[in-house]
């Protein structure tokens, strides 16, 4: 039996890597992919805990997370396409119109 | 006797309604409601007077405002001889002046406002005199001051009027400060502010002393002198007298009502009401006598130099008020109140008569300047005769009201227990001569001789005033004669009803006759009466001499003693002295210290500085938002890390 | 020997997952990044199977690897930037990001050290999964306890579809040809 804490640590590593990628990459598509990595990390930890507690709610939640992530990826990419059509630019640090 | 509540209430209601609705609804008819209200008050006061003569008394609270353990403040009424006499006098005069104003203020655009204000003033004065506690007295005190301000500055577009109103209010404030301290001290000492308990227990502090700046003085002295400060301000005694002549900027009915008959007498009324307190302290009595004597003398020397008819009468008021305080200062409070009563009638008559003259001269650039009058006797007979009666009364001609009241004061002064009585008598007698002199100066300059104002009136002839103005004059003239007859002294065969009436409240002055005269009291009194009458007649004769018979004598004093003339003409330079020592430093402080330092540096520094600081902080924080989404994500992650760190550490 | 094999598999999976995710994050070429992500998802599916969650593993591959990544690939081809390969691919503040990430990692690991697994509360034991199948168990739970959330997610997906279509359609201006 692999202790659950190992899964949690693994999930943590993946999450942190995803977070770093989100903050540090300029390309918006890569940023979206990093979001997917983060969500997946969470999925791992949820499944592990579901196995540990032997409760179906955790796995059902994973199901929902995957569904939502897919929806979000779709919309996000649609927006990226729109953005590219308008400005022909996909680097996030070039967009400063929200500067206050 | 609860109906006395309506005595001040009726004018208040009239004033409120007139003020609120006068501009659009009543307009030219604004006078009906206030006149009716004040007449109603007069009838009620007269009824109360009759009841009090029969022996009724009342002391009740209408409405309790503050009830805090032992401290109680209420709207209360005390009806005794002193207050009911004041009620009757104030309402009678107020009504006559209301009627007079219908004619005098006829074309004024602020017609409704005037009636509202004088009704409001009547309410304030009535509250003052009928109160049964010091706080209501103070309320009335301040309220009459407010109405005085409103009425002096009635023609507020005129700068001199607005300035005079401010001066009156501010000078009064000096006095009111002392007065308020006095009231506080009364409360501290006795634990209550109601008259009855205070005066019942006033002997308890007969020997109590306090330590003031290292000196031991009687507590009674301190309280009395502080209260007298208010009287000095309100009744325009030296040193707070400077506002009264300037107050002549207001309409003449105002001068008659407020600055002759009622408001300025509030000080005398207050001192009489508190006489038990004053009598405990010789120092306080001396202060009162000194202030009264000095003012009496000073005003009487200034009056003969003035050319403005209203100013002369104003100084005459100052002088007569001095007489009243002189009476109080020698313990003859009933005599002081008697003079107050008679003076109200003949002084109001003098003012209203002057107003009538001014009404006739109103086309002139300065309707009050007596140098352009003269010979008005044949144009304005009613005004002339009533004015003459008033002048004779004030000069102390036997048989008229002023004679009886003034002589009672002088006799009480001479025979008084207090050591300064003789000085008071001497000054009083001299001033009687001066009074007659300047009063008849006015009569001769205005009504006799040739009319000098034809050019300034552009050919118009002066004419008599309408009946609505002359009838009050005639009624007041009757008063100026008859009101003295209730106080005919024993020595002339009368019973001095007035003093007897006031005795339960004001007591009886104590006499100490000079050595050898103890048996011949009546003779002494008659002698002194003769002396003062002689002074009066002498004054009239000198006025006749200088102004009618040999007019060249008018230039005698200005040419032989120009410095004296100038000193008197400039009112002893008090205005200039005050301006230099008080007004200028205050303005300097206000401008440079308060405005310059405290306001612009300290307060503006904080008020502007704090928003400035916040703005700069905000601007600094604003730079965090650089528009790049990933910085926000970085900050969020940093925040999360910090939170976990904190949780982990603690 | 019994416990060793699972551990070895886990270690392998763990290493591959971390390595591929780092490759995704640091790759200059977007297409490569997508492909590395595919590898990561496949390994994740195996991880799920290790945890007795077969249905989820299947869903992971079908939805994530199959649909989402394909979508990403489409968009990458649509964007098709050549200059991409020559510019910086990291933002200016990537050292700060790295620092914060490592800090976050260390702190969280420290926090997890105190983790004690709770006793089982549910009834999804391994025997049951073997007997009924994970799909059936999940399905039962989904359509009875969580049916409201299920419907909501359905609506959400509908909205997402509509949204994607609406956002990217061409707005026809007046007078313009098709």
């Amino acid at each position: 039996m692999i202790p659950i804490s190992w899964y949690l640590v693994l999930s943590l590593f993946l999450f942190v890597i995803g977070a770093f990628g989100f903050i540090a990459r300029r390309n918006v598509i890569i940023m979206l992919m990093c979001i997917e990595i983060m969500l997946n990390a969470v999925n791992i930890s949820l499944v592990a805990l579901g196995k540990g507690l032997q409760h179906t709610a955790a796995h059902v939640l994973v199901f929902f997370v995957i569904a939502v992530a897919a929806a979000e990826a779709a919309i996000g990419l649609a927006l990226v396409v729109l953005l590219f059509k308008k400005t022909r630019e996909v680097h996030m640090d070039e967009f400063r119109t929200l500067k206050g | 006797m609860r109906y006395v509540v309506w005595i001040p209430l009726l004018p208040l209601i009239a004033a409120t309604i007139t003020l609120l609705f006068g501009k659009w609804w009543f307009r030219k008819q604004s006078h009906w409601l206030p006149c009716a209200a004040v007449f109603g008050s007069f009838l009620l006061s007269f009824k109360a007077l009759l009841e009090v003569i029969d022996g009724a008394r009342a002391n009740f609270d209408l409405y309790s405002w503050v009830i805090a353990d032992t401290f109680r403040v209420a709207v209360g009424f005390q009806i005794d001889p002193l207050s009911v006499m004041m009620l009757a006098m104030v309402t009678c005069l107020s009504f006559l002046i209301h009627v007079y104003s219908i004619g005098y203020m006829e074309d004024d655009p602020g017609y409704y406002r005037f009636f509202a204000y004088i009704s409001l003033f009547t309410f304030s004065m009535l509250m003052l005199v009928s109160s049964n506690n010091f706080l209501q007295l103070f309320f009335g005190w301040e309220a009459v001051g407010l109405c005085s301000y409103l009425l002096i500055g009635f023609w507020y577009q005129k700068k001199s009027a607005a300035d005079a109103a401010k001066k009156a209010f501010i000078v009064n404030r000096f006095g009111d400060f002392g007065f308020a301290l006095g009231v506080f001290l009364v409360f501290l000492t006795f634990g209550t502010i109601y008259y009855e308990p205070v005066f019942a227990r006033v002997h308890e502090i007969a020997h109590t002393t306090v330590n003031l700046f290292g000196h031991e003085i009687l507590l009674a002295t301190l309280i009395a002198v502080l209260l007298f400060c208010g009287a000095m301000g309100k009744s325009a005694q030296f040193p707070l007298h400077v506002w009264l002549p300037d107050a002549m900027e207001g309409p003449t009915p105002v001068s008659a009502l407020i600055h002759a008959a009622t408001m300025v007498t509030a000080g005398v009324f207050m001192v009489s009401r508190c006489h038990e307190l004053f009598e405990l302290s010789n120092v306080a009595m001396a202060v009162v006598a000194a202030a009264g004597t000095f003012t009496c003398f000073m005003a009487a020397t200034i009056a003969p130099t003035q050319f403005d008819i209203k100013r002369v009468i104003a100084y005459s008021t100052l002088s007569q008020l001095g007489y009243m305080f002189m009476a109080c200062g020698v313990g003859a409070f009933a005599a002081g109140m008697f003079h107050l009563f008679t003076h109200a009638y003949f002084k109001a008559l003098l003012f209203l008569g002057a107003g009538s003259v001014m009404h006739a001269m109103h086309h002139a650039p300065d309707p009050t300047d007596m140098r352009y009058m003269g010979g008005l006797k044949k144009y304005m007979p009613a005004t002339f005769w009533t004015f003459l009666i008033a002048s004779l009364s004030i000069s102390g001609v036997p048989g008229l009201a002023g004679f009886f009241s003034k002589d009672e004061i002088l006799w009480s002064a001479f025979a008084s227990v207090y050591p300064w009585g003789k000085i008071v008598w001497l000054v009083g007698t001299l001033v009687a001569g001066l009074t007659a002199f300047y009063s008849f100066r006015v009569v001769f300059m205005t009504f006799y001789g040739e009319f000098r104002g034809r050019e300034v009136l552009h050919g118009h002839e002066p004419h008599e005033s309408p009946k609505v103005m002359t009838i009050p004059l005639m009624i007041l003239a009757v008063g100026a004669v008859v009101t003295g007859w209730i106080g005919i002294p024993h020595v002339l065969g009368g019973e001095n009803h007035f003093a007897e009436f006031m005795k339960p409240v004001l007591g009886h002055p104590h006499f100490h006759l000079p050595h050898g005269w103890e048996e011949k009291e009546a003779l002494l009194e008659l002698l002194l009466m003769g002396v003062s009458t002689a002074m009066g007649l002498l004054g009239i004769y000198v006025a006749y001499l200088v102004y009618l018979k040999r007019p060249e004598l008018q230039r005698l004093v200005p040419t032989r003693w120009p410095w004296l003339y100038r000193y008197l003409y400039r009112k002893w330079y008090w205005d200039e002295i005050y301006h230099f020592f008080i007004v200028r430093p205050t303005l300097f402080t206000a401008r440079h210290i308060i405005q310059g330092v405290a306001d612009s540096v300290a307060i503006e520094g904080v008020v502007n500085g704090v928003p400035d600081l916040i703005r700069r902080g905000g601007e600094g924080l604003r730079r965090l938002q650089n528009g790049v989404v990933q910085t926000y994500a970085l900050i969020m992650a940093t925040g999360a890390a910090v939170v976990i760190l904190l949780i982990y550490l603690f | 020997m019994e416990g060793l094999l699972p551990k070895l598999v886990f270690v392998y999976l763990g290493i591959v997952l971390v390595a591929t995710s780092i490759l995704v994050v640091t790759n200059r070429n977007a297409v490569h990044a997508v492909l590395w992500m595919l590898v990561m998802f496949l390994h994740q599916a195996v991880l799920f199977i290790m945890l007795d969650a077969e249905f989820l593993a299947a869903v992971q591959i079908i939805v994530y690897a199959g649909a989402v990544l394909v979508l990403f690939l489409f968009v990458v081809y649509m964007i098709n930037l050549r200059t991409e390969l020559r510019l910086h691919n990291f933002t200016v503040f990537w050292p700060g990001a790295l620092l914060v990430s490592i800090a976050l990692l260390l702190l969280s690991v420290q926090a997890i050290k105190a983790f004690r697994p709770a006793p089982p509360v549910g009834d999804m034991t391994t025997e049951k999964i073997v007997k009924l199948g994970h799909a059936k168990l999940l399905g039962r739970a989904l359509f009875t306890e969580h049916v409201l959330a299920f419907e909501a997610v359905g609506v959400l997906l509908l909205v997402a579809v509509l949204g994607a279509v609406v956002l990217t359609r061409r707005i026809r201006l007046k007078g313009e040809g098709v």
Side-chain angles (χ1 to χ4, degrees):
Chain A
M1 269 316 307
I2 299 177
I4 299 187
S5 53
W6 288 24
Y7 286 102
L8 292 182
V9 172
L10 175 64
S11 145
L12 204 59
F13 265 94
L14 283 179
F15 186 84
V16 167
I17 291 168
F20 169 72
F22 179 76
I23 297 175
R25 286 300 300 255
R26 289 175 72 213
N27 192 331
V28 64
I29 301 173
I30 307 289
M31 279 173 72
L32 284 170
M33 287 203 289
C34 293
I35 294 177
E36 300 299 327
I37 295 177
M38 284 195 273
L39 284 164
N40 266 290
V42 170
N43 280 351
I44 293 177
S45 94
L46 270 173
V47 170
L49 284 169
K51 169 84 189 301
L53 291 172
Q54 294 178 348
H55 198 58
T56 52
H59 291 197
V60 169
L61 189 55
V62 171
F63 191 73
F64 289 144
V65 168
I66 294 177
V68 168
E72 167 247 328
I75 300 286
L77 287 169
L79 285 171
V80 166
V81 166
L82 260 183
L83 200 60
F84 180 71
K85 268 205 241 177
K86 206 158 172 79
T87 60
R88 295 210 75 87
E89 179 66 64
V90 287
H91 294 282
M92 276 314 286
D93 50 357
E94 302 296 327
F95 296 110
R96 288 176 188 261
T97 47
L98 276 179
K99 183 176 162 64
Chain B
M1 282 190 88
R2 291 196 86 97
Y3 62 85
V4 297
V5 168
W6 288 101
I7 297 180
L9 201 59
L10 285 173
L12 177 66
I13 296 172
T16 315
I17 296 180
T18 313
L19 197 58
L20 287 174
F21 301 113
K23 197 162 178 188
W24 297 281
W25 287 9
F26 297 129
R27 273 177 281 200
K28 286 287 175 169
Q29 304 303 315
S30 302
H31 54 266
W32 287 111
L33 195 56
C35 287
V38 178
F39 188 64
S41 291
F42 171 62
L43 290 176
L44 288 172
S45 308
F46 197 68
K47 175 168 158 36
L49 176 66
L50 293 174
E51 284 184 18
V52 171
I53 292 179
D54 277 335
R57 297 280 184 274
N59 187 336
F60 61 92
D61 282 343
L62 176 65
Y63 164 69
S64 286
W65 183 37
V66 174
I67 305 180
D69 198 17
T70 51
F71 178 58
R72 223 181 134 199
V73 174
V75 176
F77 294 88
Q78 179 165 331
I79 307 298
D80 61 15
L82 181 62
S83 59
V84 82
M85 172 222 124
M86 290 294 289
L87 282 176
M89 188 263 288
V90 169
T91 47
C92 175
L93 272 140
S94 184
F95 174 64
L96 289 172
I97 293 174
H98 271 75
V99 172
Y100 180 90
S101 307
I102 299 176
Y104 191 81
M105 301 294 290
E106 194 178 342
D107 293 315
D108 198 287
Y111 194 67
Y112 77 97
R113 209 159 42 95
F114 186 79
F115 278 96
Y117 288 160
I118 48 173
S119 283
L120 189 67
F121 169 81
T122 310
F123 156 74
S124 313
M125 189 71 196
L126 291 170
M127 287 298 279
L128 198 163
V129 301
S130 60
S131 107
N132 70 351
N133 62 67
F134 275 97
L135 200 63
Q136 191 176 326
L137 177 73
F138 192 65
F139 160 73
W141 202 265
E142 296 296 322
V144 294
L146 170 72
C147 293
S148 172
Y149 168 82
L150 289 172
L151 285 163
I152 295 175
F154 183 70
W155 291 309
Y156 51 83
Q157 296 94 345
K158 226 171 115 180
K159 183 169 197 299
S160 55
D163 286 345
K166 266 192 288 185
K167 186 171 178 179
F169 200 78
I170 293 175
V171 173
N172 254 282
R173 216 74 201 101
F174 277 84
D176 292 345
F177 178 64
F179 188 64
L181 286 178
V183 173
F184 296 157
L185 210 49
V186 165
F187 176 65
L188 270 177
T189 313
F190 295 99
T192 170
I193 46 161
Y194 282 85
Y195 291 151
E196 214 174 291
V198 168
F199 294 133
R201 291 162 41 191
V202 80
H203 337 280
E204 288 171 17
I205 62 161
H207 301 290
T208 326
T209 58
V210 291
N211 193 317
L212 191 69
F213 307 124
H215 298 281
E216 287 287 320
I217 60 167
L218 275 177
L219 177 62
T221 307
L222 189 60
I223 299 179
V225 170
L226 283 174
L227 290 175
F228 187 61
C229 285
M232 279 199 276
K234 193 64 71 184
S235 300
Q237 296 298 294
F238 174 80
L240 298 173
H241 64 280
V242 287
W243 64 272
L244 190 54
D246 284 31
M248 297 300 118
E249 293 285 339
T252 311
V254 169
S255 308
L257 182 61
I258 299 185
H259 307 125
T262 46
M263 185 178 96
V264 294
T265 56
V268 185
F269 167 77
M270 188 268 291
V271 172
S272 300
R273 179 57 95 196
C274 302
H275 74 97
E276 278 147 329
L277 190 62
F278 277 81
E279 277 171 335
L280 286 177
S281 158
N282 278 359
V283 175
M285 294 294 271
V287 167
V288 173
T293 317
F294 186 76
T295 311
C296 184
F297 176 68
M298 175 180 73
T301 55
I302 301 177
T305 61
Q306 302 295 312
F307 293 113
D308 181 335
I309 188 174
K310 278 182 75 175
R311 296 270 145 133
V312 177
I313 306 179
Y315 283 105
S316 170
T317 306
L318 276 180
S319 192
Q320 300 300 308
L321 286 169
Y323 266 111
M324 294 178 219
F325 282 108
M326 282 153 73
C328 293
V330 296
F333 296 96
M337 288 307 291
F338 186 37
H339 195 60
L340 191 157
F341 184 58
T342 57
H343 169 265
Y345 285 90
F346 57 70
K347 192 46 62 66
L349 179 53
L350 282 175
F351 267 115
L352 294 185
S356 184
V357 168
M358 284 163 60
H359 186 76
M361 299 278 294
H362 76 268
H363 291 294
D366 185 7
T368 62
D369 199 330
M370 289 194 288
R371 292 172 286 196
Y372 294 110
M373 300 180 192
L376 291 179
K377 185 164 70 146
K378 57 178 186 286
Y379 297 109
M380 315 175 67
T383 308
F384 165 65
W385 283 108
T386 51
F387 201 89
L388 184 65
I389 292 176
S391 302
L392 287 170
S393 191
I394 198 177
S395 307
V397 167
L400 296 164
F403 167 72
F404 294 109
S405 56
K406 199 182 293 195
D407 272 319
E408 188 166 342
I409 296 179
L410 293 174
W411 163 240
S412 306
F414 189 84
S416 151
V417 187
Y418 294 95
W420 46 81
K422 305 288 189 299
I423 307 176
V424 168
W425 170 80
L426 188 65
V427 173
T429 314
L430 276 171
V431 172
L434 275 173
T435 308
F437 171 66
Y438 65 68
S439 300
F440 272 87
R441 168 176 178 262
V442 173
V443 171
F444 293 140
M445 271 182 91
T446 312
F447 294 104
Y448 283 80
E450 278 300 315
F451 183 53
R452 297 180 285 272
R454 235 169 262 281
E455 305 87 44
V456 293
L457 281 190
H458 313 296
H460 291 248
E461 285 213 336
H463 55 89
E464 182 61 89
S465 303
K467 282 238 182 31
V468 79
M469 284 166 70
T470 53
I471 297 202
L473 289 177
M474 291 187 241
I475 299 178
L476 283 173
V478 172
V481 176
V482 160
T483 47
W485 295 352
I486 61 171
I488 302 180
H490 297 279
V491 78
L492 288 179
E495 301 218 352
N496 206 342
H497 299 278
F498 190 85
E500 290 301 313
F501 180 58
M502 290 291 185
K503 198 140 112 191
V505 183
L506 295 180
H508 181 70
H510 300 288
F511 289 161
H512 172 79
L513 294 166
H515 196 61
W517 286 89
E518 288 85 352
E519 301 301 311
K520 309 180 207 146
E521 192 178 317
L523 183 60
L524 189 58
E525 200 176 332
L526 282 172
L527 247 171
L528 295 174
M529 226 179 265
V531 171
S532 65
T533 312
M535 288 298 290
L537 291 173
L538 181 66
I540 299 179
Y541 178 66
V542 174
Y544 166 71
L545 204 66
V546 174
Y547 288 97
L548 281 186
K549 193 105 173 290
R550 290 171 56 186
E552 66 275 7
L553 280 181
Q554 283 179 46
R555 303 299 310 162
L556 179 66
V557 173
T559 42
R560 286 279 292 275
W561 303 291
W563 49 269
L564 176 68
Y565 180 73
R566 218 175 330 118
Y567 186 66
L568 296 179
Y569 184 66
R570 297 303 303 268
K571 307 164 276 175
W572 291 42
Y573 290 113
W574 286 118
D575 278 325
E576 287 77 2
I577 294 174
Y578 285 164
H579 185 80
F580 187 73
F581 282 108
I582 297 176
V583 176
R584 275 185 45 182
T586 311
L587 285 177
F588 176 78
T589 313
R591 219 165 273 146
H592 295 111
I593 298 178
I594 306 294
Q595 188 178 12
V597 173
D599 195 35
S600 20
V601 173
I603 296 178
E604 292 287 316
V606 170
V607 167
N608 282 345
V610 168
D612 204 45
L613 203 66
I614 295 175
R615 183 178 54 84
R616 269 184 269 146
E619 262 172 36
L621 280 175
R622 197 173 63 130
R623 281 188 223 127
L624 270 176
Q625 306 253 6
N626 60 357
V628 179
V629 176
Q630 281 144 313
T631 36
Y632 306 155
L634 178 61
I635 293 172
M636 274 196 263
T638 320
V642 168
V643 167
I644 298 178
L645 180 69
L646 286 174
I647 293 177
Y648 180 66
L649 281 180
F650 303 115
Chain C
M1 218 31 212
E2 172 51 58
L4 193 58
L5 191 55
K7 284 207 175 64
L8 275 176
V9 171
F10 176 77
V11 168
Y12 162 72
L13 285 174
I15 291 176
V16 169
L17 276 173
V18 171
T20 47
S21 65
I22 290 180
L23 281 168
V24 166
V25 162
T26 57
N27 213 305
R28 216 174 252 283
N29 192 329
V31 180
H32 290 182
V34 171
L35 292 173
W36 283 124
M37 207 149 129
L38 175 65
V39 172
M40 191 180 109
F41 285 159
L42 291 172
H43 283 82
Q44 189 167 338
V46 175
L47 196 63
F48 281 173
I49 292 178
M50 267 189 75
L51 284 167
D52 292 335
E54 311 134 355
F55 181 65
L56 284 177
V59 164
Q60 170 92 350
I61 294 179
I62 295 170
V63 171
Y64 256 123
V68 173
L69 283 185
V70 169
L71 192 59
F72 269 105
L73 267 176
F74 280 150
V75 175
V76 167
Y77 287 141
M78 215 189 295
I79 303 295
N80 198 20
L81 284 176
R82 291 275 157 210
T83 57
E84 184 72 25
L85 297 169
R86 278 183 254 125
L87 294 170
H88 303 291
N89 63 346
F90 279 113
T91 53
V92 283
F93 41 83
W94 70 265
L98 190 61
L99 205 67
V100 169
S101 309
I102 291 177
L104 211 53
L105 181 66
L106 288 174
L107 285 171
S108 308
V109 166
Q110 274 290 74
I112 287 184
K113 272 219 179 95
F115 176 74
R116 306 268 170 274
V121 294
D123 56 353
M124 191 178 70
T125 56
T126 318
E127 294 78 33
K128 238 190 178 169
I129 293 176
V130 166
K131 198 164 71 148
L132 294 172
H134 193 232
K136 194 164 184 174
L137 276 175
L138 273 191
R140 261 197 207 150
L142 198 58
F143 289 108
T144 52
E145 268 178 72
H146 306 101
V147 65
L148 191 61
F150 178 70
E151 298 297 336
V153 170
V155 171
L156 176 74
L157 287 171
L158 176 67
V159 167
V161 166
L162 280 174
V165 169
V166 162
L167 281 172
T168 51
R169 73 190 162 109
R170 201 196 295 256
I171 312 287
R172 268 174 237 277
L173 295 170
K174 264 222 176 91
E176 207 181 66
V178 173

